[in-house]
């Protein structure tokens, strides 16, 4: 099995190398074939691993591939942990990535960077697979930074656009803030546990539950709380939680396929996966769990609100991702790790579907992304329309679709929790249900219904996108409908086994399981709950305002202009980023340039050494006059200096 695990991660890497380094040799078709075959190989092998572990009941694999370094008794290794949590992530990542690869053939077919793009997305897949398969913090950090690096390349793929360069720099800087906290968390793990291996750290964690750390003089913190919060700060950057969320909407500057891959199956899910993997640590600190819960609640509610004022079709979906990541984080905060991973899985399918459907609309509209310039596209793009409807209904949690099961489970888990912040979280996630339905169907109605708001030239060229675009939409629509019926084994069953640990005092899922009577019973219970009616209220409000009485939206924006301006300005977070992170980075660079480069290197080292040599030469030239008496005088002076040294300074004299 070890060779199969290696093949899963190396197959996309091989495709990336061939497409990236030999793209001109193998051509455009060769580039997409090698990368698609690489990812397809990973997907097929992931299915085999799923059968081996889940269906056949094999034991999880935890082993070292090779030891990179041994330092002071600490093993720094590359190794794999393949358990049921890993297996589920492998299926999600490889399947969504495969659909995105196929879709890219149609979306990027005229782009001059065709081979380069396929190389990047295959490398992105490899990085995420290394992250989810890691069995130690060193490899986790490698995958963590690798997905960040490749996302930088992909967001700025169209590097001639100033907006793309700004966006990838923004993503890079904001993620460095989170990654600094993450690195400090790993350093704290190493300091207290003297190991980077998951199994060793998790086994020793209970004994460290009462350990204290003094950050400030006289102020003691729980070491476990500090470790968990630092690790979560890393997740705040990768999984775009307030206030480190500002990079994610701007990542829309990259091509649509990578928007789907970043937002659905890779990178942003890394933080959610990491916290779930670290559940044996987080369960030892209720303070850290409350911190996670509050941050997730704020993100779920307030980022969803921003979706209401977006007019770019991709940015609406992007703010939806922020909100849904907030839901997953809330689930982690109430120790409903299985519900968080379940929502991660269902969300990956319908969010990738929504992004790719948005890309299909953009292709048909000749790269127009403003929903105010669309309308009536239902009759021109029937496949895109129906798949978008499935994705939108799954997103708002319509009964029977995948998003319903996962989102309702999170809401019920929050309601059953009693840790600090759970009351606010429950209000936030319920309010978020209404807001999600409102902004989702605002976009849906403005794009596919209402009157046509485009010119005759655009109308004459409107038609359904090619099969390489629509087939991935259909393939993603299927799990967006059926994946929710895995709720019994994944959430309430023993699917994860020992991969996730939940303390008895935080076991909200165990409490909910007592009242679970199958998927049909869950649907009936959900229809009678507040979440369903809030979703329907949001859908109905969107239909009325944006198809019947559109002037209501304009009047509300005018009436509550202060709120509208605050939302358009994204609560000032972008401005803060420009001043603090971007401005701070530029200021630091300017200071280092002036003091380090101009003053020290150029001024002191280069020019200073030249001036010193010139000064010495200016003195020395007076001794090289050509007169014998000058040379004799110099010899006498030199002799006197030597005698003086031997008389007064030489040792033993």
């Amino acid at each position: 099995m070890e060779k199969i695990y290696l093949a899963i991660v190396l197959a996309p890497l091989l495709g990336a190398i061939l497409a990236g380094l030999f793209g001109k040799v193998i051509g455009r078709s060769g580039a997409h074939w090698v990368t698609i075959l690489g990812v397809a190989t990973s997907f097929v092998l992931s299915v085999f691993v799923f059968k081996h572990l889940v269906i056949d009941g094999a034991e999880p694999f935890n082993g070292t591939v090779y030891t990179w370094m041994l330092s002071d008794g600490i093993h720094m290794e590359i190794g794999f942990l393949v358990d049921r949590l890993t297996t589920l992530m492998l299926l999600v990542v490889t399947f969504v990535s495969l659909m995105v690869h196929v879709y890219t053939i149609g979306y990027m077919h005229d782009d001059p960077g065709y081979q380069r793009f396929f190389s990047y997305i295959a490398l992105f897949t490899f990085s995420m697979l290394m992250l989810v398969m890691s069995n130690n913090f060193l490899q986790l950090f490698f995958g963590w930074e690798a997905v960040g690096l490749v996302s930088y390349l992909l967001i700025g793929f169209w590097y001639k656009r100033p907006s793309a360069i700004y966006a990838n720099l923004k993503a890079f800087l904001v993620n460095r803030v989170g990654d600094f906290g993450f690195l400090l968390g790993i350093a704290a793990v190493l300091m207290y546990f003297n190991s980077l291996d998951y199994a060793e750290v998790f086994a020793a964690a209970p004994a460290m539950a009462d350990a204290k750390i003094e950050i400030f003089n006289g102020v003691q913190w729980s070491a476990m709380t500090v470790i968990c919060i630092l690790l979560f700060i890393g997740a705040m950057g990768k999984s775009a939680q307030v206030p480190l969320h500002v990079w994610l909407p701007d990542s829309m500057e990259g091509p649509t396929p990578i928007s789907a891959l970043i937002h659905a199956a890779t990178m942003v899910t890394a933080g959610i996966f990491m916290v779930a993997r670290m559940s044996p640590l987080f369960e030892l600190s209720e303070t850290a769990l409350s911190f996670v819960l509050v941050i997730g609640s704020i993100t779920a509610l307030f980022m969803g609100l921003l979706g209401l004022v977006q007019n770019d079709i991709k940015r609406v979906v992007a703010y939806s991702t922020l909100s849904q990541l907030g839901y997953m984080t809330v689930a982690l905060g109430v120790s409903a790790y299985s519900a968080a991973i379940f929502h991660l899985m269902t969300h990956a399918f319908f969010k990738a579907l929504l992004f790719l459907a948005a890309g299909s609309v953009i292709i048909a509209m000749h790269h127009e992304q403003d929903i105010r310039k669309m309308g009536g596209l239902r009759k021109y793009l029937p496949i895109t329309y129906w798949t978008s409807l499935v994705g939108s209904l799954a997103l708002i949690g319509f009964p029977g679709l995948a998003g319903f099961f996962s989102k309702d489970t999170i809401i019920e888990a929050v309601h059953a929790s009693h840790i600090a912040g759970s009351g606010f979280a429950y209000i936030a996630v319920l309010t978020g249900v209404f807001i999600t339905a409102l902004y989702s169907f605002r976009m849906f109605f403005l794009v596919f219904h209402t009157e046509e708001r485009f010119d005759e030239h655009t109308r004459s060229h409107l038609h359904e996108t090619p099969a390489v675009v629509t087939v991935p939409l259909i393939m993603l629509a299927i799990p967006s409908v059926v994946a929710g019926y895995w709720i019994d084994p994944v959430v309430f069953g023993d699917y994860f086994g020992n991969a996730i640990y939940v303390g008895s005092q935080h076991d909200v899922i165990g409490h909910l399981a007592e009242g679970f009577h199958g998927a049909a019973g869950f649907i009936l219970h959900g229809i009678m709950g507040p979440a369903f009616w809030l979703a329907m209220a949001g859908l109905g409000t969107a239909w009325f305002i944006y198809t019947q009485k559109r002037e209501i939206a304009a009047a509300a924006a005018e009436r509550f202009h202060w709120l509208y301006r605050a939302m358009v300005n994204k609560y000032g977070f972008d401005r803060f980023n420009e001043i603090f992170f971007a401005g701070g980075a530029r200021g630091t660079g300017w200071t280092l340039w002036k003091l380090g480069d101009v003053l020290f290197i150029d001024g002191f080292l280069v020019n200073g050494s030249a001036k010193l040599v010139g000064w010495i030469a200016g003195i020395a030239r007076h001794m090289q006059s050509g007169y014998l008496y000058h040379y004799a005088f110099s010899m006498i002076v030199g002799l006197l200096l030597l005698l003086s040294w031997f008389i007064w300074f030489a040792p033993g004299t």
Side-chain angles (χ1 to χ4, degrees), residues 534-584:
L534 284 168
M536 293 303 100
L539 194 160
T541 304
W543 172 82
F544 182 74
I545 292 177
Y546 297 105
T547 66
Q548 306 300 311
K549 297 285 185 180
R550 210 173 303 164
E551 63 271 15
I552 293 176
E558 182 67 26
R559 178 83 178 268
F560 302 100
H561 64 277
W562 55 273
L563 178 60
Y564 179 76
R565 294 309 309 170
M567 291 165 66
V568 169
N569 293 326
K570 306 164 189 173
Y571 309 125
F573 281 112
D574 272 16
R575 183 62 181 157
F576 175 78
N577 170 75
E578 289 172 9
I579 295 173
F580 188 77
F581 292 128

Side-chain angles (χ1 to χ4, degrees), residues 6 76 114 237 243 259 280 365 369 400 433 476 507 537 562 566 574 578 595 605:
L6 276 171
M76 299 185 184
Y114 190 84
S259 300
M365 292 290 295
Q369 296 183 198
V433 171
L476 286 165
D507 192 10
W562 55 273
D574 272 16
E578 289 172 9
L595 296 179
L605 293 181

Side-chain angles (χ1 to χ4, degrees), residues 204-362:
M208 299 295 298
D210 297 325
K212 301 295 182 182
I213 184 172
E214 190 171 296
I215 301 176
F216 306 105
N217 287 335
V219 181
Q220 287 191 330
W221 285 54
S222 163
M224 202 58 64
T225 297
V226 172
I227 289 171
C228 290
I229 289 177
L230 287 172
L231 291 175
F232 180 68
I233 289 172
M236 287 170 65
K238 280 289 180 290
S239 294
Q241 299 296 293
V242 172
L244 301 182
H245 67 283
V246 292
W247 68 270
L248 193 62
D250 285 356
S251 68
M252 298 300 98
E253 291 295 331
T256 299
I258 197 53
S259 300
L261 201 53
I262 288 177
H263 286 242
T266 59
M267 191 152 174
V268 296
T269 61
I272 307 300
F273 165 80
M274 184 274 293
V275 175
R277 176 63 82 193
M278 302 299 145
S279 58
L281 303 182
F282 279 84
E283 285 299 292
L284 298 174
S285 173
E286 195 161 296
T287 303
L289 289 174
S290 289
F291 180 77
V292 172
L293 178 62
V294 172
I295 293 293
S297 305
I298 294 170
T299 306
L301 175 59
F302 291 99
M303 294 302 106
L305 281 169
L306 296 187
L308 293 170
V309 298
Q310 304 301 314
N311 295 312
D312 185 305
I313 188 171
K314 287 171 63 177
R315 286 183 179 266
V316 177
V317 186
Y319 278 102
S320 158
T321 300
L322 284 172
S323 181
Q324 297 308 305
L325 287 168
Y327 275 85
M328 298 175 208
T329 305
V330 165
L332 297 171
V334 297
S335 299
Y337 304 102
S338 59
I341 298 298
F342 188 54
H343 195 52
L344 183 156
M345 178 189 73
T346 60
H347 174 263
F349 299 134
F350 62 72
K351 186 52 55 71
L353 171 60
L354 286 171
F355 265 113
L356 299 188
S360 179
V361 171
I362 293 169

